């Protein structure tokens, strides 16, 4: 929608309803002045995001209440499990795969058959075909849309790390966009495993050593396991103390102040 149409809509609200939420920003994309060299950093930042740093509900109640009426007129069937139809086009709509967008708990989704034959259909040479009859089975499912609404318990906090859905999701998806993100996860996984091994009364030093070795290998730091001095811990602290004695107490500088 161009500037003229948008201005006309604002000036003639009696004739045109206000634009939807998605039109609140400037929809024109400007490549000029967009920094491209920080892509790697953006990927790392996304990889390092915590569960509480993701906004799962793009349309919370505070936004919906301010939308024009036509934007929420079909709210009763937003979570219907039904095919969406447009002449020859049939798209299966499965909101049970994105329940967190509706503020609900996400479960492991059921398998859904995506018919390749449906996606191969086009209108060439089919000008006389009655699509309501051709897709009668899907039309029946659409007619039952109000009785097939996906629902679940309200989710007030992020899914637990060990929730069945999260365990399933981490197993089937590609999880990282950057090497640093994968390294951070490998370190966190290794430390979590070591922590779990030390909770019981029967602590296996050999098992802890194996976990530490596999973690160092995963982050490509296994070279640190070779030729380690027997007094590694003592020498490490001695070196640190020597540094402090030579340079005195370290100072902390706050950028942007006069202190």
């Amino acid at each position: 929608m161009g500037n003229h149409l948008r201005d006309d809509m604002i000036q003639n609200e009696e004739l045109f309803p206000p634009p939807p939420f998605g039109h609140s920003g400037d929809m024109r994309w400007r490549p000029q002045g967009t920094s491209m060299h920080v892509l790697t950093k953006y990927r790392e930042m996304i990889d390092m995001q915590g569960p509480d740093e993701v906004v799962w509900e793009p349309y919370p109640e505070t936004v919906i209440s301010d939308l024009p009426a036509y934007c929420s007129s079909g709210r009763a069937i937003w979570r219907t499990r039904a095919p969406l139809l447009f002449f020859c086009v049939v798209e299966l709509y499965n909101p049970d795969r994105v329940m967190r967008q509706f503020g609900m708990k996400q479960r492991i989704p059921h398998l859904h058959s995506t018919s390749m034959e449906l996606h191969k259909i086009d209108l060439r040479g089919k000008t006389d075909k009655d699509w309501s009859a051709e897709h009668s089975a899907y039309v029946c499912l659409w007619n039952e849309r109000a009785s097939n609404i996906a629902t679940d318990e309200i989710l007030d906090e992020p899914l637990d790390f060990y929730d069945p859905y999260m365990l399933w999701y981490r197993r089937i998806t590609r999880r990282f966009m950057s090497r640093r993100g994968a390294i951070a996860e490998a370190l966190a996984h290794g430390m979590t495993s070591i922590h779990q091994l030390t909770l019981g009364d029967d602590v296996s030093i050999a098992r802890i050593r194996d976990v530490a070795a596999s973690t160092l290998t995963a982050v490509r730091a296994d070279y640190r396991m070779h030729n380690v001095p027997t007094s590694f811990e003592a020498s490490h602290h001695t070196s640190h103390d020597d540094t402090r004695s030579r340079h005195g107490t370290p100072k902390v500088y706050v950028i942007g102040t006069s202190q």
Side-chain angles (χ1 to χ4, degrees):
M1 301 174 67
N3 290 330
H4 297 293
L5 178 57
R6 182 175 60 215
D7 294 339
D8 290 343
M9 291 178 65
I10 294 175
Q11 296 172 6
N12 300 281
E13 292 188 2
E14 296 180 357
L15 301 177
F16 298 96
F21 182 68
H23 196 262
S24 59
D26 189 350
M27 307 307 289
R28 292 172 297 175
W29 183 65
R30 299 182 179 90
Q32 297 84 3
T34 302
S35 179
M36 305 301 291
H37 69 280
V38 292
L39 178 60
T40 300
K41 186 61 179 179
Y42 286 157
R43 288 175 173 173
E44 292 175 0
M45 292 172 66
I46 293 175
D47 279 342
M48 303 294 282
Q49 276 187 311
D52 59 339
E53 296 178 300
V54 179
V55 178
W56 287 105
E57 294 182 73
Y59 287 87
E61 206 60 45
T62 53
V63 171
I64 294 177
S65 60
D66 292 333
L67 291 176
Y70 71 86
C71 290
S72 57
S73 61
R75 189 174 185 180
I77 59 168
W78 282 357
R79 289 182 282 112
T80 183
R81 287 176 290 214
L84 307 181
L85 307 165
F86 183 77
F87 289 97
C88 67
V89 180
V90 179
E91 287 290 343
L92 302 181
Y93 180 56
N94 300 307
D96 53 313
R97 291 175 172 261
V98 290
M99 294 299 285
R100 281 184 287 185
Q101 291 189 19
F102 301 101
M104 299 181 180
K105 183 178 178 62
Q106 181 64 55
R107 310 284 181 177
I108 299 176
H110 299 292
L111 292 177
H112 294 280
S113 175
T114 301
S115 173
M116 298 302 296
E117 296 302 320
L118 284 176
H119 289 82
K120 292 179 180 179
I121 294 177
D122 59 48
L123 293 174
R124 290 177 294 184
K126 303 181 179 68
T127 55
D128 297 329
K129 183 176 286 293
D130 182 353
W131 291 108
S132 62
E134 182 74 14
H135 294 322
S136 59
Y138 299 107
V139 173
C140 290
L141 291 175
W142 171 251
N143 290 336
E144 298 295 324
R145 59 191 178 278
S147 60
N148 193 18
I149 305 297
T151 187
D152 212 306
E153 62 182 275
I154 300 299
L155 189 65
D156 297 324
E157 56 185 21
L159 284 178
D160 186 78
F161 185 80
Y162 298 104
D163 185 89
Y165 171 78
M166 297 304 302
L167 294 174
W168 171 82
Y169 182 77
R170 288 195 295 271
R171 187 177 70 250
I172 60 95
T173 191
R174 180 175 180 177
R175 300 172 57 191
F176 308 106
M177 294 187 292
S178 68
R179 181 172 177 267
R180 185 170 295 183
I183 289 176
E185 169 58 24
L187 289 172
H189 178 75
M191 295 306 297
T192 302
S193 300
I194 291 175
H195 176 264
Q196 294 297 317
L197 289 171
T198 60
L199 292 179
D201 296 330
D202 184 18
V203 179
S204 172
I205 299 299
R207 179 59 182 146
I208 292 176
R209 183 172 61 246
D210 291 342
V211 171
S214 62
T215 301
L216 288 170
T217 301
V219 300
R220 299 183 182 179
D222 49 319
Y223 61 88
R224 297 191 181 198
M225 295 185 290
H226 307 315
N227 303 319
V228 180
T230 55
S231 57
F232 170 74
E233 184 176 0
S235 64
H236 176 73
H237 286 295
T238 300
S239 175
H240 180 67
D241 293 339
D242 290 345
T243 302
R244 288 203 304 176
S245 64
R246 289 196 303 270
H247 299 283
T249 303
K251 297 181 180 180
V252 176
Y253 295 91
V254 180
I255 305 300
T257 70
S258 59
Q259 301 294 326

